Amino acid sequence: GATLAEITKRQEVRIAVPDDFAPFGSIAPDMSVQGYDIDVANQMAEAMGVKLQLVPVIGNYRIPFLQTNRVDMIISSLGKNKDREKIIDFSI
């Protein structure tokens, strides 16, 4: 993912969210993504003062999307372990 400076310069944050794991993220009747993780993503973008681009992903694609710079961060249920800590930063 991008650094905070890059996100600020771009004025947009790309956040991966689940679209298949209600109530955290699912597809609404109008085909938008809805749920707790989407609400958190909206609040983060607002607090950063940047536009939000939601990137719906299924579980196995979360980390690869981050590693290939397709997203800047992930908001999703993601177990913390030593292997994952080597390649991504976890929030506290």
Side-chain angles (χ1 to χ4, degrees):
T3 65
L4 181 57
E6 292 167 336
I7 292 167
T8 302
K9 182 178 180 181
R10 184 184 340 125
Q11 286 296 295
E12 180 179 70
V13 62
R14 302 165 300 165
I15 301 180
V17 293
D19 65 357
D20 62 345
F21 194 56
F24 300 99
S26 61
I27 303 297
D30 68 358
M31 300 307 291
S32 65
V33 186
Q34 66 179 6
Y36 175 79
D37 291 347
I38 289 73
D39 294 344
V40 172
N42 278 302
Q43 290 181 357
M44 288 182 69
E46 184 179 326
M48 295 170 73
V50 297
K51 181 181 170 189
L52 172 62
Q53 178 187 354
L54 291 172
V55 181
V57 295
I58 59 171
N60 292 342
Y61 292 103
R62 295 173 296 189
I63 295 174
F65 270 45
L66 189 62
Q67 291 176 306
T68 58
N69 203 32
R70 294 172 80 179
V71 298
D72 302 312
M73 61 182 79
I74 302 167
I75 298 178
S76 182
S77 300
L78 185 63
K80 186 175 181 180
N81 64 44
K82 289 182 182 186
D83 290 334
R84 287 180 176 162
E85 284 183 308
K86 292 176 186 174
I87 56 175
I88 61 175
D89 292 325
F90 284 87
S91 62
I92 54 173

Coordinates of all heavy atoms in Angstrom, one line a residue:
G1 N 0.8 -1.2 0.0 CA 0.0 0.0 0.0 C 0.8 1.3 0.0 O 2.1 1.2 0.1
A2 N 0.2 2.3 -0.2 CA 0.9 3.6 -0.2 C 1.2 4.2 1.1 O 0.5 3.8 2.1 CB 0.0 4.6 -1.0
T3 N 2.1 5.1 1.2 CA 2.4 5.8 2.4 C 1.3 6.9 2.7 O 0.6 7.3 1.8 CB 3.8 6.5 2.4 OG1 3.7 7.5 1.4 CG2 4.9 5.5 2.1
L4 N 1.3 7.4 3.9 CA 0.3 8.4 4.2 C 0.6 9.7 3.3 O -0.4 10.3 2.9 CB 0.4 8.8 5.7 CG -0.5 9.9 6.2 CD1 -2.0 9.5 5.9 CD2 -0.3 10.2 7.7
A5 N 1.8 10.0 3.1 CA 2.1 11.1 2.2 C 1.6 10.9 0.8 O 1.1 11.9 0.2 CB 3.6 11.4 2.2
E6 N 1.7 9.7 0.3 CA 1.2 9.4 -1.1 C -0.3 9.5 -1.1 O -0.9 10.0 -2.1 CB 1.7 8.0 -1.5 CG 3.2 7.9 -1.7 CD 3.7 6.5 -1.9 OE1 3.0 5.6 -1.4 OE2 4.8 6.3 -2.5
I7 N -1.0 9.0 -0.1 CA -2.4 9.0 0.0 C -2.9 10.5 0.1 O -3.8 10.9 -0.6 CB -2.9 8.2 1.2 CG1 -2.7 6.7 1.0 CG2 -4.4 8.5 1.4 CD1 -2.8 5.9 2.3
T8 N -2.2 11.3 0.9 CA -2.6 12.7 1.0 C -2.4 13.4 -0.3 O -3.2 14.2 -0.7 CB -1.7 13.3 2.1 OG1 -2.0 12.6 3.4 CG2 -2.1 14.8 2.4
K9 N -1.3 13.2 -1.0 CA -1.0 13.8 -2.3 C -2.1 13.4 -3.3 O -2.6 14.2 -4.1 CB 0.4 13.5 -2.8 CG 0.7 14.1 -4.1 CD 2.2 13.8 -4.5 CE 2.5 14.4 -5.8 NZ 3.8 14.1 -6.2
R10 N -2.4 12.1 -3.3 CA -3.4 11.6 -4.3 C -4.8 12.0 -3.9 O -5.7 12.0 -4.7 CB -3.3 10.1 -4.3 CG -4.2 9.4 -5.3 CD -4.2 7.9 -5.2 NE -3.1 7.2 -4.6 CZ -3.3 6.3 -3.6 NH1 -4.5 6.0 -3.1 NH2 -2.2 5.7 -3.1
Q11 N -5.0 12.4 -2.6 CA -6.3 12.8 -2.1 C -7.4 11.7 -2.2 O -8.6 11.9 -2.3 CB -6.9 14.0 -2.8 CG -6.2 15.3 -2.3 CD -6.4 15.6 -0.9 OE1 -7.5 15.9 -0.5 NE2 -5.4 15.5 0.0
E12 N -6.9 10.4 -2.1 CA -7.8 9.3 -2.1 C -7.1 8.1 -1.4 O -5.9 7.9 -1.6 CB -8.1 8.9 -3.6 CG -9.0 7.7 -3.7 CD -9.3 7.3 -5.1 OE1 -8.4 6.8 -5.8 OE2 -10.4 7.5 -5.5
V13 N -7.9 7.4 -0.6 CA -7.4 6.2 0.0 C -8.2 5.0 -0.5 O -9.4 5.0 -0.7 CB -7.5 6.2 1.6 CG1 -8.9 6.4 2.1 CG2 -6.8 5.1 2.2
R14 N -7.4 3.9 -0.9 CA -8.1 2.7 -1.5 C -8.1 1.7 -0.3 O -7.0 1.2 0.1 CB -7.3 2.2 -2.7 CG -7.2 3.2 -3.8 CD -6.1 2.9 -4.8 NE -4.8 2.8 -4.1 CZ -3.7 2.2 -4.6 NH1 -3.7 1.7 -5.8 NH2 -2.6 2.2 -3.9
I15 N -9.2 1.3 0.1 CA -9.3 0.4 1.2 C -10.1 -0.9 0.8 O -11.2 -0.9 0.3 CB -10.1 1.0 2.4 CG1 -9.3 2.3 2.9 CG2 -10.2 0.0 3.5 CD1 -10.0 3.0 4.0
A16 N -9.4 -2.0 1.0 CA -10.0 -3.3 0.7 C -11.0 -3.7 1.9 O -10.6 -3.6 3.0 CB -8.9 -4.4 0.6
V17 N -12.2 -4.1 1.5 CA -13.2 -4.5 2.4 C -13.9 -5.8 1.9 O -13.9 -6.1 0.8 CB -14.3 -3.4 2.6 CG1 -13.7 -2.2 3.3 CG2 -14.9 -3.0 1.3
P18 N -14.4 -6.6 2.9 CA -15.1 -7.8 2.5 C -16.4 -7.5 1.8 O -17.1 -6.5 2.2 CB -15.3 -8.6 3.8 CG -15.3 -7.5 4.8 CD -14.4 -6.4 4.3
D19 N -16.9 -8.3 0.9 CA -18.2 -8.1 0.3 C -19.0 -9.4 0.5 O -20.1 -9.6 -0.1 CB -18.2 -7.7 -1.1 CG -17.5 -8.7 -2.1 OD1 -17.0 -9.8 -1.6 OD2 -17.5 -8.5 -3.3
D20 N -18.4 -10.4 1.3 CA -19.0 -11.7 1.4 C -19.1 -12.1 2.9 O -19.1 -13.3 3.2 CB -18.3 -12.7 0.6 CG -16.8 -12.9 1.0 OD1 -16.3 -12.0 1.8 OD2 -16.2 -13.9 0.6
F21 N -19.0 -11.2 3.8 CA -18.9 -11.6 5.2 C -19.8 -10.7 6.1 O -19.2 -9.8 6.9 CB -17.4 -11.5 5.6 CG -17.1 -12.2 6.9 CD1 -17.5 -13.5 7.2 CD2 -16.5 -11.5 8.0 CE1 -17.2 -14.1 8.4 CE2 -16.2 -12.1 9.2 CZ -16.5 -13.4 9.4
A22 N -21.1 -10.8 6.0 CA -22.0 -9.9 6.8 C -21.8 -10.3 8.2 O -21.5 -11.4 8.6 CB -23.4 -10.2 6.3
P23 N -22.0 -9.4 9.1 CA -22.4 -8.0 9.0 C -21.2 -7.0 8.7 O -21.4 -5.8 8.7 CB -23.0 -7.6 10.3 CG -22.2 -8.4 11.3 CD -21.9 -9.7 10.6
F24 N -20.0 -7.6 8.5 CA -18.8 -6.7 8.3 C -18.8 -6.1 6.9 O -18.3 -5.0 6.7 CB -17.5 -7.5 8.6 CG -17.5 -8.0 10.0 CD1 -17.9 -9.3 10.3 CD2 -17.2 -7.1 11.1 CE1 -17.9 -9.8 11.6 CE2 -17.2 -7.6 12.4 CZ -17.5 -8.9 12.7
G25 N -19.2 -6.9 5.9 CA -19.2 -6.4 4.6 C -20.1 -7.3 3.7 O -19.9 -8.5 3.7
S26 N -21.0 -6.8 3.0 CA -21.9 -7.6 2.1 C -22.4 -6.6 1.0 O -22.3 -5.4 1.1 CB -23.0 -8.3 2.9 OG -23.8 -7.3 3.5
I27 N -23.1 -7.3 0.0 CA -23.7 -6.5 -1.1 C -25.1 -6.2 -0.7 O -25.9 -7.0 -0.4 CB -23.6 -7.3 -2.4 CG1 -22.2 -7.7 -2.7 CG2 -24.3 -6.6 -3.5 CD1 -21.3 -6.6 -3.0
A28 N -25.4 -4.9 -0.8 CA -26.8 -4.4 -0.5 C -27.7 -4.6 -1.7 O -27.2 -4.9 -2.8 CB -26.7 -2.9 -0.2
P29 N -29.0 -4.5 -1.6 CA -29.9 -4.7 -2.7 C -29.6 -3.7 -3.9 O -29.8 -4.1 -5.0 CB -31.3 -4.4 -2.1 CG -31.1 -4.7 -0.7 CD -29.7 -4.4 -0.3
D30 N -29.0 -2.5 -3.6 CA -28.7 -1.6 -4.7 C -27.3 -1.9 -5.3 O -26.8 -1.1 -6.0 CB -28.8 -0.2 -4.2 CG -27.8 0.2 -3.2 OD1 -26.9 -0.7 -2.8 OD2 -27.7 1.4 -2.8
M31 N -26.7 -3.0 -4.9 CA -25.4 -3.5 -5.3 C -24.2 -2.7 -4.7 O -23.1 -2.8 -5.2 CB -25.3 -3.5 -6.9 CG -26.3 -4.4 -7.5 SD -26.3 -6.1 -6.9 CE -24.7 -6.7 -7.5
S32 N -24.4 -1.8 -3.8 CA -23.3 -1.1 -3.1 C -22.8 -2.1 -2.0 O -23.5 -3.1 -1.7 CB -23.8 0.2 -2.5 OG -24.8 -0.1 -1.4
V33 N -21.7 -1.8 -1.5 CA -21.1 -2.6 -0.4 C -21.5 -1.9 0.9 O -21.5 -0.7 1.1 CB -19.6 -2.6 -0.4 CG1 -19.0 -3.6 0.6 CG2 -19.1 -3.1 -1.8
Q34 N -22.0 -2.7 1.9 CA -22.5 -2.2 3.2 C -21.9 -3.0 4.3 O -21.5 -4.2 4.1 CB -24.0 -2.2 3.2 CG -24.6 -3.6 3.2 CD -26.1 -3.6 3.3 OE1 -26.7 -2.6 3.2 NE2 -26.6 -4.8 3.4
G35 N -21.9 -2.5 5.5 CA -21.5 -3.2 6.7 C -20.6 -2.4 7.6 O -20.1 -1.3 7.3
Y36 N -20.2 -3.0 8.7 CA -19.4 -2.4 9.7 C -18.0 -2.0 9.2 O -17.6 -0.9 9.4 CB -19.2 -3.4 10.9 CG -18.2 -2.9 11.9 CD1 -18.7 -2.0 12.9 CD2 -16.9 -3.4 12.0 CE1 -17.8 -1.5 13.9 CE2 -16.0 -2.9 12.9 CZ -16.5 -2.0 13.9 OH -15.6 -1.5 14.8
D37 N -17.3 -2.9 8.4 CA -16.0 -2.5 7.9 C -16.1 -1.3 6.9 O -15.2 -0.5 6.8 CB -15.4 -3.7 7.2 CG -15.0 -4.8 8.2 OD1 -15.0 -4.5 9.4 OD2 -14.7 -5.9 7.8
I38 N -17.2 -1.3 6.2 CA -17.4 -0.2 5.2 C -17.6 1.1 6.0 O -17.1 2.2 5.7 CB -18.6 -0.4 4.3 CG1 -18.2 -1.5 3.3 CG2 -19.0 0.8 3.5 CD1 -18.1 -2.9 3.8
D39 N -18.4 1.1 7.1 CA -18.6 2.2 8.0 C -17.2 2.7 8.5 O -17.0 3.9 8.6 CB -19.5 1.9 9.1 CG -20.9 1.6 8.6 OD1 -21.3 2.0 7.5 OD2 -21.7 1.0 9.4
V40 N -16.4 1.8 9.0 CA -15.1 2.2 9.5 C -14.2 2.8 8.4 O -13.5 3.8 8.6 CB -14.3 1.0 10.1 CG1 -12.9 1.3 10.5 CG2 -15.1 0.5 11.3
A41 N -14.2 2.3 7.2 CA -13.5 2.8 6.1 C -13.9 4.2 5.8 O -13.1 5.1 5.5 CB -13.6 1.9 4.8
N42 N -15.2 4.5 5.8 CA -15.7 5.8 5.5 C -15.3 6.8 6.6 O -14.9 7.9 6.3 CB -17.3 5.8 5.5 CG -17.8 5.4 4.2 OD1 -17.5 6.0 3.1 ND2 -18.6 4.3 4.1
Q43 N -15.3 6.4 7.9 CA -14.8 7.3 8.9 C -13.3 7.5 8.8 O -12.9 8.6 9.1 CB -15.2 6.6 10.3 CG -16.6 6.7 10.6 CD -17.0 6.1 11.9 OE1 -16.1 5.6 12.7 NE2 -18.3 6.1 12.3
M44 N -12.5 6.5 8.4 CA -11.1 6.7 8.3 C -10.8 7.7 7.2 O -10.0 8.6 7.4 CB -10.4 5.4 8.0 CG -10.3 4.5 9.2 SD -9.5 3.0 8.9 CE -7.8 3.6 8.7
A45 N -11.4 7.6 6.0 CA -11.2 8.5 4.9 C -11.6 9.9 5.3 O -10.9 10.9 5.0 CB -12.0 8.0 3.7
E46 N -12.8 10.0 6.0 CA -13.2 11.3 6.4 C -12.2 12.0 7.4 O -11.9 13.2 7.3 CB -14.6 11.2 7.1 CG -15.2 12.5 7.5 CD -16.5 12.4 8.2 OE1 -17.3 11.5 7.8 OE2 -16.8 13.2 9.1
A47 N -11.7 11.2 8.3 CA -10.7 11.7 9.3 C -9.4 12.1 8.6 O -8.7 13.0 9.0 CB -10.4 10.7 10.4
M48 N -9.1 11.4 7.5 CA -7.9 11.7 6.8 C -8.1 12.9 5.8 O -7.1 13.4 5.3 CB -7.4 10.5 6.0 CG -7.0 9.3 6.8 SD -6.7 7.8 5.9 CE -5.2 8.2 5.0
G49 N -9.3 13.2 5.6 CA -9.6 14.3 4.7 C -9.4 14.0 3.2 O -9.1 14.8 2.4
V50 N -9.6 12.7 2.9 CA -9.4 12.2 1.5 C -10.7 11.5 1.0 O -11.5 11.0 1.8 CB -8.2 11.3 1.4 CG1 -6.9 12.1 1.7 CG2 -8.3 10.1 2.2
K51 N -10.8 11.3 -0.3 CA -11.8 10.5 -0.9 C -11.6 9.1 -0.6 O -10.5 8.6 -0.5 CB -11.9 10.8 -2.4 CG -12.9 10.1 -3.2 CD -12.8 10.4 -4.7 CE -13.7 9.5 -5.4 NZ -13.5 9.7 -6.9
L52 N -12.7 8.3 -0.5 CA -12.6 6.8 -0.3 C -12.9 6.1 -1.5 O -13.9 6.3 -2.2 CB -13.6 6.4 0.8 CG -13.7 4.9 1.1 CD1 -12.4 4.3 1.5 CD2 -14.8 4.7 2.1
Q53 N -12.0 5.1 -1.9 CA -12.3 4.2 -2.9 C -12.4 2.8 -2.2 O -11.4 2.3 -1.8 CB -11.2 4.1 -4.0 CG -11.5 3.1 -5.1 CD -10.4 2.9 -6.1 OE1 -9.4 3.7 -6.1 NE2 -10.5 2.0 -6.9
L54 N -13.6 2.2 -2.2 CA -13.7 0.9 -1.6 C -13.4 -0.1 -2.6 O -13.8 0.0 -3.8 CB -15.2 0.7 -1.2 CG -15.7 1.5 0.0 CD1 -17.2 1.3 0.2 CD2 -14.9 1.1 1.3
V55 N -12.6 -1.2 -2.2 CA -12.2 -2.2 -3.1 C -12.7 -3.5 -2.5 O -12.1 -4.1 -1.6 CB -10.7 -2.3 -3.3 CG1 -10.3 -3.4 -4.3 CG2 -10.2 -0.9 -3.8
P56 N -13.9 -4.0 -2.9 CA -14.4 -5.3 -2.4 C -13.5 -6.5 -2.7 O -13.0 -6.6 -3.9 CB -15.8 -5.5 -3.1 CG -16.1 -4.1 -3.6 CD -14.8 -3.4 -3.9
V57 N -13.1 -7.3 -1.7 CA -12.3 -8.4 -1.9 C -12.8 -9.6 -1.1 O -13.4 -9.4 0.0 CB -10.8 -8.1 -1.6 CG1 -10.2 -7.1 -2.5 CG2 -10.6 -7.8 -0.1
I58 N -12.5 -10.8 -1.6 CA -12.7 -12.0 -0.8 C -11.5 -12.3 0.0 O -10.4 -11.8 -0.3 CB -13.2 -13.2 -1.6 CG1 -12.2 -13.6 -2.7 CG2 -14.6 -12.9 -2.2 CD1 -12.5 -14.8 -3.4
G59 N -11.6 -13.1 1.1 CA -10.5 -13.4 2.0 C -9.1 -13.6 1.4 O -8.2 -13.0 1.8
N60 N -9.0 -14.5 0.5 CA -7.7 -14.9 0.0 C -7.0 -13.8 -0.8 O -5.8 -13.9 -1.0 CB -7.8 -16.1 -0.9 CG -8.2 -17.4 -0.1 OD1 -8.1 -17.4 1.1 ND2 -8.7 -18.4 -0.8
Y61 N -7.7 -12.8 -1.2 CA -7.1 -11.7 -2.0 C -6.7 -10.5 -1.2 O -6.1 -9.6 -1.8 CB -8.1 -11.3 -3.2 CG -8.3 -12.4 -4.2 CD1 -9.4 -13.1 -4.2 CD2 -7.3 -12.6 -5.1 CE1 -9.6 -14.2 -5.1 CE2 -7.5 -13.6 -6.1 CZ -8.6 -14.4 -6.1 OH -8.8 -15.4 -7.0
R62 N -7.0 -10.5 0.1 CA -6.8 -9.3 0.9 C -5.3 -8.9 0.9 O -4.9 -7.8 0.5 CB -7.2 -9.5 2.3 CG -8.7 -9.7 2.4 CD -9.1 -10.0 3.8 NE -8.6 -11.3 4.2 CZ -8.9 -12.0 5.3 NH1 -9.7 -11.5 6.1 NH2 -8.4 -13.2 5.5
I63 N -4.4 -9.8 1.3 CA -3.0 -9.5 1.4 C -2.4 -9.3 0.0 O -1.6 -8.4 -0.2 CB -2.3 -10.6 2.2 CG1 -2.8 -10.5 3.7 CG2 -0.8 -10.4 2.2 CD1 -2.3 -11.6 4.6
P64 N -2.7 -10.2 -1.0 CA -2.1 -9.9 -2.3 C -2.4 -8.6 -2.9 O -1.6 -7.9 -3.5 CB -2.6 -11.1 -3.2 CG -2.9 -12.2 -2.2 CD -3.3 -11.5 -1.0
F65 N -3.7 -8.1 -2.6 CA -4.0 -6.7 -3.1 C -3.2 -5.7 -2.4 O -2.8 -4.7 -3.1 CB -5.5 -6.5 -2.8 CG -6.4 -6.9 -4.0 CD1 -6.3 -8.1 -4.6 CD2 -7.4 -6.0 -4.4 CE1 -7.2 -8.5 -5.6 CE2 -8.3 -6.4 -5.4 CZ -8.2 -7.6 -6.0
L66 N -2.8 -5.9 -1.2 CA -2.0 -4.9 -0.4 C -0.6 -5.0 -1.0 O 0.1 -4.0 -1.2 CB -2.0 -5.2 1.1 CG -1.4 -4.2 2.0 CD1 -2.0 -2.9 1.9 CD2 -1.4 -4.7 3.4
Q67 N -0.1 -6.2 -1.2 CA 1.3 -6.4 -1.6 C 1.5 -5.9 -3.0 O 2.7 -5.5 -3.3 CB 1.7 -7.9 -1.6 CG 1.8 -8.4 -0.2 CD 2.1 -9.9 -0.2 OE1 1.3 -10.7 -0.8 NE2 3.1 -10.3 0.5
T68 N 0.5 -5.9 -3.9 CA 0.7 -5.4 -5.2 C 0.2 -4.0 -5.4 O 0.0 -3.6 -6.6 CB -0.1 -6.4 -6.2 OG1 -1.5 -6.4 -5.9 CG2 0.5 -7.8 -6.2
N69 N 0.0 -3.3 -4.3 CA -0.3 -1.9 -4.3 C -1.7 -1.6 -5.0 O -1.9 -0.5 -5.5 CB 0.8 -1.0 -5.0 CG 0.7 0.4 -4.5 OD1 0.3 0.7 -3.4 ND2 1.1 1.3 -5.4
R70 N -2.6 -2.6 -5.0 CA -3.9 -2.3 -5.5 C -4.8 -1.6 -4.5 O -5.8 -1.0 -4.8 CB -4.5 -3.6 -6.0 CG -3.8 -4.2 -7.2 CD -4.2 -5.6 -7.6 NE -5.5 -5.5 -8.3 CZ -6.1 -6.6 -8.8 NH1 -5.6 -7.8 -8.6 NH2 -7.2 -6.4 -9.5
V71 N -4.4 -1.7 -3.2 CA -5.1 -1.0 -2.1 C -4.0 -0.5 -1.2 O -2.9 -0.9 -1.2 CB -6.0 -2.0 -1.3 CG1 -7.1 -2.5 -2.2 CG2 -5.3 -3.1 -0.7
D72 N -4.4 0.5 -0.4 CA -3.5 1.1 0.6 C -3.6 0.5 2.0 O -2.7 0.5 2.7 CB -3.8 2.6 0.7 CG -3.7 3.3 -0.6 OD1 -2.7 3.1 -1.3 OD2 -4.7 4.1 -1.0
M73 N -4.8 -0.1 2.3 CA -5.0 -0.7 3.5 C -6.2 -1.7 3.4 O -6.9 -1.7 2.5 CB -5.2 0.2 4.7 CG -6.4 1.1 4.5 SD -6.5 2.3 5.9 CE -5.3 3.6 5.4
I74 N -6.3 -2.6 4.4 CA -7.3 -3.5 4.5 C -8.1 -3.3 5.8 O -7.5 -3.1 6.9 CB -6.7 -5.0 4.6 CG1 -5.9 -5.3 3.4 CG2 -7.9 -6.0 4.7 CD1 -5.0 -6.5 3.5
I75 N -9.4 -3.3 5.7 CA -10.3 -3.4 6.9 C -11.0 -4.7 6.8 O -11.9 -4.8 5.9 CB -11.2 -2.2 7.0 CG1 -10.4 -0.9 7.1 CG2 -12.1 -2.3 8.2 CD1 -11.2 0.4 7.2
S76 N -10.7 -5.6 7.6 CA -11.3 -6.9 7.5 C -10.9 -7.8 8.7 O -9.8 -7.5 9.3 CB -10.8 -7.6 6.2 OG -11.5 -8.9 6.0
S77 N -11.6 -8.8 9.0 CA -11.2 -9.8 10.0 C -10.0 -10.5 9.5 O -10.1 -11.2 8.4 CB -12.4 -10.8 10.3 OG -13.5 -10.1 10.7
L78 N -8.9 -10.3 10.1 CA -7.6 -10.9 9.6 C -6.8 -11.3 10.9 O -6.3 -10.4 11.6 CB -6.9 -9.8 8.8 CG -5.6 -10.3 8.1 CD1 -5.9 -11.4 7.1 CD2 -5.0 -9.1 7.4
G79 N -6.7 -12.6 11.1 CA -5.9 -13.1 12.2 C -4.5 -12.7 12.1 O -3.9 -12.7 11.1
K80 N -3.9 -12.2 13.3 CA -2.6 -11.8 13.4 C -1.7 -13.0 13.7 O -2.0 -13.7 14.7 CB -2.4 -10.7 14.5 CG -1.1 -10.1 14.6 CD -1.1 -9.0 15.6 CE 0.2 -8.3 15.7 NZ 0.1 -7.2 16.7
N81 N -0.7 -13.3 12.9 CA 0.3 -14.3 13.2 C 1.7 -13.9 12.7 O 1.8 -12.9 12.0 CB -0.1 -15.7 12.6 CG -0.2 -15.6 11.0 OD1 0.7 -15.1 10.4 ND2 -1.3 -16.2 10.5
K82 N 2.7 -14.7 13.1 CA 4.1 -14.3 12.8 C 4.4 -14.2 11.3 O 5.1 -13.3 10.9 CB 5.1 -15.2 13.5 CG 5.1 -15.1 15.0 CD 6.1 -16.0 15.6 CE 6.0 -15.8 17.1 NZ 7.0 -16.6 17.8
D83 N 3.8 -15.1 10.5 CA 4.1 -15.0 9.1 C 3.4 -13.7 8.5 O 4.1 -13.1 7.6 CB 3.5 -16.2 8.4 CG 4.3 -17.5 8.7 OD1 5.5 -17.4 9.0 OD2 3.7 -18.6 8.6
R84 N 2.2 -13.4 8.9 CA 1.6 -12.2 8.3 C 2.3 -10.9 8.8 O 2.3 -9.9 8.1 CB 0.1 -12.2 8.7 CG -0.7 -13.2 7.9 CD -2.2 -13.1 8.3 NE -2.9 -14.0 7.5 CZ -4.1 -14.4 7.8 NH1 -4.7 -14.0 8.9 NH2 -4.8 -15.2 7.0
E85 N 2.8 -11.0 10.1 CA 3.5 -9.8 10.6 C 4.7 -9.4 9.8 O 5.2 -8.3 9.8 CB 3.8 -10.0 12.1 CG 2.7 -9.8 13.0 CD 3.1 -10.0 14.5 OE1 3.7 -11.0 14.8 OE2 2.7 -9.1 15.2
K86 N 5.3 -10.4 9.1 CA 6.5 -10.2 8.3 C 6.2 -9.3 7.1 O 7.1 -8.7 6.5 CB 7.1 -11.5 7.9 CG 7.7 -12.3 9.0 CD 8.2 -13.6 8.5 CE 8.7 -14.5 9.6 NZ 9.0 -15.9 9.2
I87 N 4.9 -9.4 6.6 CA 4.6 -8.7 5.3 C 3.6 -7.6 5.4 O 3.5 -6.8 4.5 CB 4.1 -9.7 4.3 CG1 2.9 -10.5 4.8 CG2 5.2 -10.7 3.8 CD1 2.3 -11.5 3.8
I88 N 2.9 -7.5 6.6 CA 1.9 -6.4 6.7 C 2.0 -5.8 8.1 O 2.4 -6.5 9.1 CB 0.5 -6.8 6.4 CG1 0.0 -7.9 7.3 CG2 0.3 -7.2 5.0 CD1 -1.5 -8.3 7.2
D89 N 1.6 -4.5 8.3 CA 1.6 -3.9 9.6 C 0.1 -4.0 10.1 O -0.8 -3.7 9.4 CB 1.9 -2.4 9.5 CG 3.4 -2.2 9.2 OD1 4.2 -3.0 9.6 OD2 3.7 -1.2 8.5
F90 N 0.0 -4.4 11.3 CA -1.3 -4.5 11.9 C -1.6 -3.3 12.8 O -0.7 -2.8 13.4 CB -1.4 -5.8 12.8 CG -1.6 -7.1 12.1 CD1 -0.5 -7.8 11.6 CD2 -2.9 -7.6 11.8 CE1 -0.7 -8.9 10.9 CE2 -3.0 -8.8 11.1 CZ -1.9 -9.4 10.6
S91 N -2.8 -2.9 12.9 CA -3.2 -1.8 13.8 C -3.3 -2.4 15.2 O -3.4 -3.6 15.3 CB -4.5 -1.1 13.4 OG -5.5 -2.1 13.4
I92 N -3.2 -1.5 16.2 CA -3.3 -2.0 17.5 C -4.8 -2.2 18.0 O -5.7 -1.6 17.4 CB -2.6 -1.1 18.5 CG1 -3.1 0.4 18.4 CG2 -1.1 -1.2 18.3 CD1 -2.6 1.3 19.5

